[in-house]
Amino acid sequence: MNKNMNKNDGTNNKRVLENTLERLYAVKRKTPWSIFVLLLLLYFIANFTVSNSAGSSTNINIMGYPIPLYTFAGVFSSLSNICILLITMYFDKIGFITSLFLLTIQIPVIISSIIFRKNLTSLPGIFGNLLAVVAVILIYLNNKKIKDYNKKLRDQALMDILTGLPNRFANLELLTELIKREIPFAAVSVDINGFKSINETMGYDIGNKTLIEIADRWKKIADENLSGTLDFVVRHGGDEFALVIRDFNSEDDIVKTIRMYEEALKNHLTITEYEFYVSASFGYALYPDDADDIDSVFLYADMAMQEVKHNNSSNHIMKFTKDLKKEERTLEIEGKLREAIENDTLFFNLQPQYDMNHKLRGFEALARMKDEDGKYISPVEFIHIAEKVGLIDKLDSIVYKKSASFIGNMIKRTGTDIMLSINVSVRHLMKSDFSDEIKTLLDSSGIPPRLLEIEITESIMIDSMDKAMNSIKEIKDMGVQIAIDDFGTGYSSLSYLNNFPATLLKIDKSFIDKMNMGDKSKQYVAAIISLGHIMGFNVISEGVEESDQIETLREIGCDYIQGYIWGKPLPQEEAEKLIMSTYKID
Ligand code: C2E
Ligand code: MG
Ligand code: MG
């Protein structure tokens, strides 16, 4: 929390807003001051020339014709008046005062010239001067009228008509200014609880009056600086309000301020003949601690406010925390998942698996999902969420059906053995009809059971396998293969492993990564492979990326390889090409 904030008073608060609004909506004075100085200079030169040429009897020669100098006096006099008019037009009040001053001090000068020098040629100058004064006043008044009109327009654009509070645009302007000047603030998102039912049961008129009354109470706190912090109350629309709090020393100050706004609603509202109570939910986030742009800081404040509503507890104030963001992301992915399932846009990639002689063994089917911009969402993220929200069995089944139909077809077309490995999540595995689902899958795809492999992750296997053991035994009895995925990341005991009806051990990538870094790491992988063999499993290494890893794995007796070095996960069409070229089929 930044404690070095400049303490301002309410006047400053308003001034900042005024200035920002002014910048947006008022007529902007773009004319630079250098033009002002230039016009003044021109004015003095023109004036000086007028007074020197008016009484002169000198002629100047233009193209052989002698022209008396005094005939130019009128030109210079007009020039000086133009300068005066321009200054009035473009430099508001200062321009007006300067012009008026310059014009009026000229009058006694002209009069004294007429009286003392008996120079009557200056007489029309007085009338010209008076006319210029009238023009300057008219221009100034007209400018002012336009300015007032603009101000009115600006106020209408930035003010919420119902409550008279600043609106969303005004808030945006203020926040842009605060962020530009790096002034810390708390953005508070406020929602009136149960406002919809006030509208529905008592009518919109009472609803509107309720909003006005709430706004008046809050406006009073902000305008009179009752909270001790600098507050700006905004109506975003409907029953949504926002507070921007500044000049706090700690988070306690923020909570105290919000509590004051909450308590302002504690007294019942009397609207026409009705008396009732309202309450509000407040969520807040901090600039710059939580977010450093307007959208995020209000989004986070909103998340916290939604959480208050969701919790429905007696505490109506909540601060944004990173957990809420995770929650939000979960909701977002869940939405995308549901959409993908409904629109049938979930798909799969196939990552090839090879034996040590680089002969194709088969493929692992990996779920894939894109968002609406066509960007991939990582399975690491969406699989976890699908598990959490109970969508994993649907997702798995889609991947199973699509990939099995493809591989079944390939097996038929090539007449060769192509293994299909599919991943299963424990929640899915524990469903009572899991083995029925696999049976249907085998029947519909035509894949022989020995060419279907179910991958079960080691870490989840130990926790929950007892409940799923029946299903596993049933599918094993059908002749389906069972693989222990990500082996080494869990803590399965030797006796557990020995009794587990697996056929393949998949060594996790993390071991392969470290394998060539030291003798011990290599021995460790070698031990896993031996152990697997002793227990009767084949062993595959996952995440193999380098050729010296293949060499080592060959040396220590690994059976299969799956990794980017020999094949990344491929789209169906690419996998088809790979199969066709492997088996030399056109
Ligand atoms: P997994 O089953 O261990 O799958 C292997 C993961 O390692 C895949 O990540 C694969 O792309 C990646 N990988 C393979 N070789 C390499 C390599 O050489 N280098 C690197 N850096 N990565 C490699 P992916 O596709 O992101 O899948 C992540 C995990 O999501 C899978 O790990 C699996 O546990 C889960 N998953 C994927 N599809 C499904 C599905 O259809 N159902 C279920 N239940 N889980 C799935
Ligand atoms: Mg796997
Ligand atoms: Mg794995």
Side-chain angles (χ1 to χ4, degrees):
M1 184 81 41
N2 191 329
K3 297 193 178 196
N4 302 323
M5 289 156 292
N6 46 333
K7 277 263 172 199
N8 292 318
D9 57 14
T11 333
N12 191 14
N13 190 21
K14 280 192 197 109
R15 208 178 56 229
V16 171
L17 178 69
E18 271 298 309
N19 289 344
T20 36
L21 303 187
E22 197 76 39
R23 198 164 310 129
L24 184 68
Y25 287 95
V27 182
K28 288 182 187 168
R29 186 177 50 220
K30 292 196 194 92
T31 333
W33 286 106
S34 53
I35 303 281
F36 180 80
V37 176
L38 204 73
L39 285 171
L40 264 186
L41 212 66
L42 206 62
Y43 167 81
F44 284 121
I45 294 170
N47 238 353
F48 178 76
T49 320
V50 172
S51 51
N52 280 321
S53 59
S56 168
S57 53
T58 321
N59 289 342
I60 47 170
N61 202 333
I62 298 177
M63 294 162 85
Y65 295 98
I67 313 257
L69 192 59
Y70 66 82
T71 52
F72 286 99
V75 177
F76 287 108
S77 159
S78 306
L79 190 66
S80 72
N81 281 342
I82 288 172
C83 291
I84 285 287
L85 296 183
L86 289 176
I87 289 174
T88 318
M89 271 162 80
Y90 291 108
F91 294 93
D92 290 349
K93 213 170 193 163
I94 291 187
F96 172 64
I97 292 168
T98 313
S99 303
L100 218 56
F101 173 74
L102 292 173
L103 287 171
T104 42
I105 57 158
Q106 266 187 38
I107 295 174
V109 175
I110 299 172
I111 292 175
S112 65
S113 146
I114 293 170
I115 295 172
F116 297 114
R117 290 210 233 152
K118 309 261 184 291
N119 181 2
L120 286 177
T121 50
S122 307
L123 200 57
I126 293 202
F127 295 111
N129 216 290
L130 287 175
L131 282 177
V133 169
V134 173
V136 160
I137 292 173
L138 285 179
I139 290 173
Y140 176 70
L141 289 179
N142 196 41
N143 263 356
K144 193 167 173 314
K145 215 162 120 188
I146 294 172
K147 231 176 122 183
D148 288 348
Y149 180 67
N150 272 318
K151 188 171 180 314
K152 209 169 134 198
L153 273 186
R154 182 206 81 184
D155 287 349
Q156 278 171 4
L158 295 173
M159 201 177 75
D160 171 52
I161 299 179
L162 181 71
T163 59
L165 286 177
N167 64 14
R168 192 183 283 279
F169 300 109
N171 195 22
L172 203 68
E173 275 309 297
L174 176 73
L175 297 182
T176 309
E177 183 70 22
L178 294 182
I179 289 181
K180 201 169 100 200
R181 291 165 50 180
E182 295 183 356
I183 298 175
F185 63 87
V188 190
S189 183
V190 192
D191 194 274
I192 309 298
N193 298 329
F195 183 73
K196 203 164 155 241
S197 68
I198 298 179
N199 256 348
E200 278 165 4
T201 52
M202 296 195 259
Y204 284 99
D205 187 39
I206 301 285
N208 283 347
K209 286 185 174 138
T210 307
L211 293 175
I212 294 170
E213 174 65 26
I214 293 169
D216 284 349
R217 291 185 187 188
W218 286 349
K219 208 162 19 179
K220 189 172 153 55
I221 301 177
D223 286 353
E224 295 176 17
N225 268 89
L226 300 179
S227 62
T229 50
L230 265 181
D231 315 332
F232 184 65
V233 191
V234 184
R235 181 171 172 235
H236 270 179
D239 63 339
E240 289 168 29
F241 292 82
L243 285 171
V244 177
I245 303 175
R246 282 182 287 154
D247 274 12
F248 44 84
N249 288 318
S250 66
E251 263 196 68
D252 282 353
D253 289 354
I254 300 172
V255 176
K256 249 189 250 159
T257 293
I258 300 177
R259 193 140 287 146
M260 185 168 254
Y261 285 85
E262 187 190 11
E263 283 182 354
L265 304 180
K266 288 253 156 81
N267 287 337
H268 66 258
L269 283 90
T270 311
I271 312 278
T272 57
E273 74 270 30
Y274 300 103
E275 267 189 12
F276 55 94
Y277 292 89
V278 286
S279 63
S281 301
F282 301 80
Y284 68 96
L286 305 179
Y287 165 84
D289 296 16
D290 293 324
D292 56 8
D293 65 280
I294 300 176
D295 285 349
S296 307
V297 80
F298 261 102
L299 178 76
Y300 295 166
D302 244 26
M303 280 182 198
M305 185 270 285
Q306 294 297 346
E307 192 62 18
V308 172
K309 295 214 135 191
H310 182 75
N311 289 349
N312 208 8
S313 83
S314 57
N315 180 18
H316 288 159
I317 303 171
M318 185 179 265
K319 186 194 179 307
F320 164 78
T321 60
K322 295 240 156 47
D323 284 349
L324 289 176
K325 207 153 115 190
K326 265 194 239 148
E327 194 68 26
E328 181 77 359
R329 179 73 181 156
T330 305
L331 284 175
E332 191 189 336
I333 301 278
E334 181 188 346
K336 287 180 198 289
L337 262 172
R338 288 191 191 281
E339 221 174 85
I341 292 172
E342 195 164 309
N343 302 336
D344 195 25
T345 53
L346 272 175
F347 61 107
F348 63 95
N349 272 185
L350 291 170
Q351 187 175 25
Q353 299 172 338
Y354 294 92
D355 72 8
M356 302 311 289
N357 297 318
H358 207 160
K359 185 173 170 283
L360 189 67
R361 170 188 193 247
F363 296 89
E364 175 176 4
L366 295 160
R368 293 291 179 260
M369 182 170 102
K370 285 182 184 174
D371 64 15
E372 54 284 353
D373 308 329
K375 273 197 298 209
Y376 280 100
I377 302 171
S378 164
V380 179
E381 191 174 22
F382 71 75
I383 295 288
H384 172 68
I385 292 169
E387 281 167 348
K388 201 168 142 191
V389 301
L391 287 173
I392 193 67
D393 48 329
K394 282 207 181 80
L395 181 149
D396 276 350
S397 304
I398 292 171
V399 175
Y400 296 175
K401 274 189 205 135
K402 290 188 176 180
S403 59
S405 141
F406 170 72
I407 292 290
N409 214 318
M410 286 291 113
I411 293 172
K412 259 178 242 151
R413 276 175 70 187
T414 60
T416 53
D417 285 358
I418 304 168
M419 176 77 76
L420 173 67
S421 302
I422 51 178
N423 292 281
V424 66
S425 287
V426 70
R427 274 186 73 155
H428 186 190
L429 190 64
M430 285 205 284
K431 282 186 74 185
S432 56
D433 58 354
F434 182 71
S435 54
D436 293 340
E437 184 185 347
I438 297 301
K439 178 143 191 14
T440 315
L441 189 74
L442 292 169
D443 292 345
S444 62
S445 64
I447 298 181
R450 67 187 167 82
L451 293 180
L452 185 72
E453 187 170 68
I454 313 275
E455 295 191 7
I456 303 165
T457 304
E458 187 202 13
S459 50
I460 56 162
M461 182 180 100
I462 316 151
D463 296 339
S464 345
M465 210 41 63
D466 288 343
K467 290 183 209 136
M469 205 44 105
N470 278 347
S471 278
I472 296 174
K473 286 198 172 125
E474 275 172 39
I475 47 177
K476 179 84 196 289
D477 289 345
M478 285 178 215
V480 171
Q481 315 282 321
I482 310 281
I484 301 176
D485 203 354
D486 304 337
F487 184 76
T489 56
Y491 306 94
S492 34
S493 69
L494 287 184
S495 68
Y496 192 94
L497 212 58
N498 204 20
N499 292 323
F500 195 76
T503 38
L504 183 79
L505 209 64
K506 297 191 80 176
I507 306 179
D508 191 65
K509 181 176 184 298
S510 52
F511 296 97
I512 308 301
D513 287 344
K514 283 184 281 188
M515 185 178 61
N516 280 342
M517 285 178 186
D519 210 39
K520 214 167 141 195
S521 311
K522 182 174 146 186
Q523 293 308 326
Y524 197 74
V525 178
I528 296 176
I529 295 173
S530 307
L531 190 76
H533 287 162
I534 292 168
M535 298 197 177
F537 311 146
N538 281 320
V539 181
I540 185 167
S541 295
E542 277 192 287
V544 182
E545 292 179 341
E546 288 155 21
S547 52
D548 56 351
Q549 290 172 335
I550 298 185
E551 288 318 308
T552 309
L553 289 168
R554 249 192 210 116
E555 189 192 308
I556 58 181
C558 185
D559 305 300
Y560 300 105
I561 296 269
Q562 179 181 345
Y564 288 0
I565 186 150
W566 278 349
K568 287 195 169 179
L570 305 170
Q572 183 180 308
E573 311 75 57
E574 300 283 320
E576 184 172 343
K577 276 190 208 151
L578 176 70
I579 296 169
M580 293 309 178
S581 68
T582 302
Y583 297 107
K584 309 218 166 28
I585 295 169
D586 299 324

